[in-house]
Amino acid sequence: MDVLLTTGLAGLTWLTLLGGWRMGDTRLDYTPSFGAIALGLLAVGAAVWIFGIAAGLALILTVLVHEYGHVAAFRVAGHSDATFRLIPFFGGVAISRRMPDTRLHDFYITAMGPGICLVLMCGAFTLANALPEDSPLAEFCVLVGVFSGVLNFFRLLPLWPIDGGKMLHAIVGALSPGAADKLMYAMGVLVLVVALALHSIILFVFGLLSFQSIAGSAAAHRELRPMSELEALHGLAIHQLM
């Protein structure tokens, strides 16, 4: 059953990102800078330093797959310059020189990071179950599966500007224009309240950054052609399945 589920998810993801795995004969319009390479090496070093070699590499692999899901979706949407960067203590970020053409494209690009990580999680646990329990590879697969699940959990929280918040913003914006930003602000307030209750400086700073981002980047997203109500309902179903 696990093998069938993983195979089905992998096939669906492959079809969903068809055309984004590679750009045919077109070379990507991107050359890694010294700064991007240095940040990547620092991110790997920080992960290994904090979690150890096996867990650190498992975390980096998870982040790489997650961001590649975004990049592949960017390419499907016509962004030949799309790439990603690893950022120490943060994870990674997929980037392109221009905004998506529509909110549907933006939703698709946003969703495919958690989407491909869901496949990674199922595949990692399936492979771990097929290997001897004391196998180092099985232990590594379990780490990858756990990190994939944890990463998806946090990235799908309904907070701007992470994946879950952006997806929910697009859905609500289509079903109830004008309510999307208010919902994101409300979630930001909730984060600040929880941060104060837990005395968490990191969570409090994230809440403040969320407010700042809503005022800036969320406004830019409002300029994109909105999703239709039918597209929003499909998007809501996809969000819930993740």
Side-chain angles (χ1 to χ4, degrees), residues 13-136:
T13 302
W14 181 80
L15 290 173
T16 304
L17 291 172
L18 194 62
W21 301 112
R22 55 190 296 270
M23 290 296 294
D25 295 329
T26 304
R27 292 181 177 273
L28 292 181
D29 184 18
Y30 176 75
T31 301
S33 66
F34 174 79
I37 295 174
L39 277 177
L41 292 176
L42 284 174
V44 174
V48 170
W49 176 59
I50 295 173
F51 297 102
I53 295 177
L57 293 179
L59 175 60
I60 292 298
L61 174 62
T62 302
V63 172
L64 287 173
V65 171
H66 178 98
E67 297 305 333
Y68 192 77
H70 289 311
V71 170
F74 259 124
R75 295 176 186 175
V76 174
H79 297 246
S80 62
D81 67 312
T83 186
F84 67 88
R85 290 180 181 175
L86 292 176
I87 302 177
F89 308 108
F90 175 79
V93 59
I95 54 176
S96 175
R97 293 194 185 98
R98 62 182 175 88
M99 292 282 290
D101 296 328
T102 66
R103 288 196 192 182
L104 181 60
H105 281 181
D106 186 55
F107 183 92
Y108 166 68
I109 292 166
T110 302
M112 290 317 299
I116 200 171
C117 242
L118 181 62
V119 178
L120 177 65
M121 180 183 70
C122 292
F125 282 132
T126 299
L127 182 57
N129 289 333
L131 294 170
E133 291 186 5
D134 57 349
S135 167

Side-chain angles (χ1 to χ4, degrees), residues 154-186:
F154 283 105
R155 293 300 294 263
L156 287 171
L157 290 174
L159 303 171
W160 190 273
I162 57 178
D163 297 339
K166 293 176 67 177
M167 293 168 68
L168 191 60
H169 187 274
I171 293 169
V172 175
L175 299 177
S176 179
D181 284 6
K182 295 177 183 178
L183 177 60
M184 292 298 102
Y185 279 121

